Amino acid sequence: MTRLFVVAHASTHATEQARFPCDEPISDRGRRELGRLAVPVVDRWVCAPERRAVDTVHAFGAPAEIDSALRELDYGRWCGAAMGDVPEGELAMWLTEPAAAPHGGESVEDLIRRVGTWLAAQDDGYERVGVVTHPAVVRAATVCALDAPAASFRRVDVGPLDVVRLYGGPGRWTLRPNRFAR
């Protein structure tokens, strides 16, 4: 049985300011959060390629394999924009229609398919794998594990350093919500 500890990266200025993220480092707040973290013991670490994910896993003091399938949702032209700066109609469409990508990037349905494909490849036998990625990817992994509809994506709340544990393997994941002790 594979055990995945799927961790959302530490805070960044974008998460603190309700902006769509770009490739940025973790913030001072993120570094403080990491200082209070109880890191799980795993056999190996895998992380998204963006700097905030790499910074987070490096703070754990462990080497990690970079996996582009764990990359952030592509926010297209909204990258770096504040939520209030996005045209209201486009934002409403994106928040209510999982197939929509009015920003020119990736839709929620596309993200869920990508993460589902990645999860389907995770069958390494009895292994504990730490996965550092983005809140949107953690949400998508949760939706996939529960075999829930894409419309449920927005009902999964994931913040900095939140963790979802998945046990099992392709097509048979069991979800155990968890948060590292802070």
Side-chain angles (χ1 to χ4, degrees):
M1 169 175 39
T2 300
R3 294 180 182 189
L4 301 176
F5 296 83
V6 187
V7 183
H9 62 74
S11 289
T12 67
H13 291 297
T15 56
E16 294 166 17
Q17 299 168 0
R19 288 186 293 114
F20 288 95
C22 288
D23 195 7
E24 62 184 6
I26 59 175
S27 64
D28 289 338
R29 176 203 254 167
R31 282 187 282 286
R32 285 190 305 274
E33 292 165 349
L34 285 162
R36 299 185 300 267
L37 191 66
V39 181
V41 176
V42 298
D43 299 316
R44 66 184 175 98
W45 285 97
V46 179
C47 79
E50 291 83 6
R51 184 170 176 194
R52 57 199 179 271
V54 173
D55 284 355
T56 299
V57 78
H58 284 169
F60 297 163
E65 168 191 336
I66 303 294
D67 192 326
S68 65
L70 299 170
R71 70 190 177 279
E72 175 68 277
L73 174 70
D74 178 358
Y75 293 103
R77 69 178 179 280
W78 293 355
C79 180
M83 294 279 268
D85 294 339
V86 173
E88 191 174 310
E90 290 182 13
L91 184 61
M93 177 193 308
W94 182 70
L95 290 172
T96 59
E97 299 176 28
H103 45 61
E106 189 175 25
S107 74
V108 167
E109 285 184 355
D110 291 339
L111 172 67
I112 291 169
R113 269 191 294 281
R114 172 167 45 95
V115 173
T117 299
W118 183 84
L119 281 171
Q122 304 309 303
D123 193 11
D124 297 326
Y126 189 76
E127 184 177 38
R128 294 170 306 205
V129 181
V131 179
V132 177
T133 188
H134 307 279
V137 176
V138 177
R139 285 177 175 180
T142 301
V143 168
C144 291
L146 296 174
D147 198 23
S152 64
F153 176 84
R154 303 265 178 237
R155 294 182 177 213
V156 180
D157 186 17
V158 178
L161 298 177
D162 281 347
V163 179
V164 171
R165 291 185 195 185
L166 300 178
Y167 298 90
R172 55 181 169 77
W173 293 106
T174 299
L175 181 136
R176 181 177 180 192
N178 187 46
R179 176 174 262 175
F180 287 147
R182 293 187 198 145

